[in-house]
Amino acid sequence: MVSKGKPSPRSAVKPLSDEQVERLARAHKLVDPTYYYPTGARTPNAAEINAQNPKATERLLEGTSRVLRSRCKVRAWGLENVPEEGVFITACTHVTMFDVFVPMTSLFHQGRRPRYMAKAELAHWPILGKWFQLVGMQPVPRRSGKAREIEEESIKILTNGRPLSVWPEGTVTRDPQKWPMSMKPGIGVIALEASRMLGHQIPLFCAVTWGAASINHWWPWPRKNVVMCYDARLDYSDLLKDMEHWGDLPPMESAAELARRVRVRMTEIMEEIRGEKSPEGYFDYKLMKRVKE
């Protein structure tokens, strides 16, 4: 299925200014996530590292880090929230393709190796497509009728002991000002069902990246500011009540509510990074327009 609409152009938003980055630095400890252990000494998850093609992963990580450093000035806060062990879910914004590489690079540099869901088209990229799969990419077929298969594969990844990164908007945001748009309920189904199967609430974190929308990839200089927040875990324990009585699937209203909470929290974080208030309501991808909350 072809995605609806087109993302707004770079000119739709302003670059992230040095002054705004300085304000964020006064409120948070900003670090460079393109190098190993930017928040200090950590215990890397050796089992995950050794299970995920360590040589290929290291080469891709180094290459990605060099590209990021050459095209932008990346800073992040909250990476100390990344668990050193155990499964967890990272829900990432999707403003540009950088919203794939920045959190991936950051998590890898924190000693974790999550699997990540990405559109199947990436698997066919020359050279890089095969490399992505070697280092944990799970291709996602963007066709109608495949949602349940994607959810089942994601749940299997978590219940087999691996962390998972997802982009719950499903495609690059179509909001004209590039705010987070409506989330697919699959993020809720995955988190709730995997939590039920494991018998405990799986930690869920929002990773919000902003600034890359202003990068001209043909001539990316001077380098633009890009900031990511890896937020504290999002609590959804109330949605797990009576989970032993759910039946085959979690209640869809609970899954939709968790997806809504992710969107709301992402928007709050993006407001802080951008230093501006988002418009009222949110952009609904199905209706292709902004609607009331």
Side-chain angles (χ1 to χ4, degrees), residues 183-195:
M183 306 280 150
K184 295 184 180 299
I187 178 64
V189 173
I190 292 165
L192 294 173
E193 181 61 15
S195 293

Side-chain angles (χ1 to χ4, degrees), residues 152-257:
E152 290 176 348
E153 183 61 31
S154 300
I155 293 166
K156 182 178 178 181
I157 289 169
L158 291 164
T159 55
N160 283 344
R162 291 292 292 275
L164 177 72
S165 292
V166 297
W167 287 261
E169 290 163 285
T171 187
V172 173
T173 180
R174 297 305 195 261
D175 182 272
Q177 293 297 307
K178 301 185 181 297
W179 294 96
M181 67 176 181
S182 54
M183 306 280 150
K184 295 184 180 299
I187 178 64
V189 173
I190 292 165
L192 294 173
E193 181 61 15
S195 293
R196 175 171 68 164
M197 293 178 70
L198 291 176
H200 62 85
Q201 180 182 190
I202 295 176
L204 171 61
F205 304 90
C206 292
V208 178
T209 305
W210 178 254
S214 300
I215 296 175
N216 182 336
H217 294 289
W218 294 107
W219 187 260
W221 301 282
R223 295 181 300 155
K224 300 295 192 298
N225 292 308
V226 174
V227 173
M228 185 191 77
C229 167
Y230 197 88
D231 197 30
R233 60 189 294 177
L234 183 68
D235 182 42
Y236 56 98
S237 56
D238 59 309
L239 301 179
L240 292 169
K241 292 179 180 179
D242 300 322
M243 60 183 179
E244 64 273 12
H245 303 302
W246 281 350
D248 293 336
L249 290 172
M252 285 310 298
E253 58 269 24
S254 297
E257 169 59 17

Side-chain angles (χ1 to χ4, degrees), residues 33-35 60-70 105 109:
T34 66
Y35 294 97
L60 181 61
L61 181 58
E62 179 60 24
T64 300
S65 301
R66 288 177 180 270
V67 170
L68 288 175
R69 290 194 292 266
S70 72
T105 299
H109 278 140

Side-chain angles (χ1 to χ4, degrees), residues 3 19 29-30 32 71 75-76 78 81 85 95 119-120 197-198 208-209 216 218 231 253 255 259 276 279 284 290:
S3 298
E19 292 75 17
K29 183 179 180 181
L30 299 184
D32 186 344
R71 290 175 173 262
R75 295 293 181 269
N81 294 323
E85 58 184 24
V95 179
K119 61 183 181 181
M197 293 178 70
L198 291 176
V208 178
T209 305
N216 182 336
W218 294 107
D231 197 30
E253 58 269 24
E276 58 183 306
D284 188 308
R290 183 165 287 274

Side-chain angles (χ1 to χ4, degrees), residues 94-107:
H94 206 348
V95 179
T96 74
M97 286 301 293
F98 270 59
D99 292 44
V100 176
F101 294 106
V102 172
M104 181 186 77
T105 299
S106 302
L107 290 170

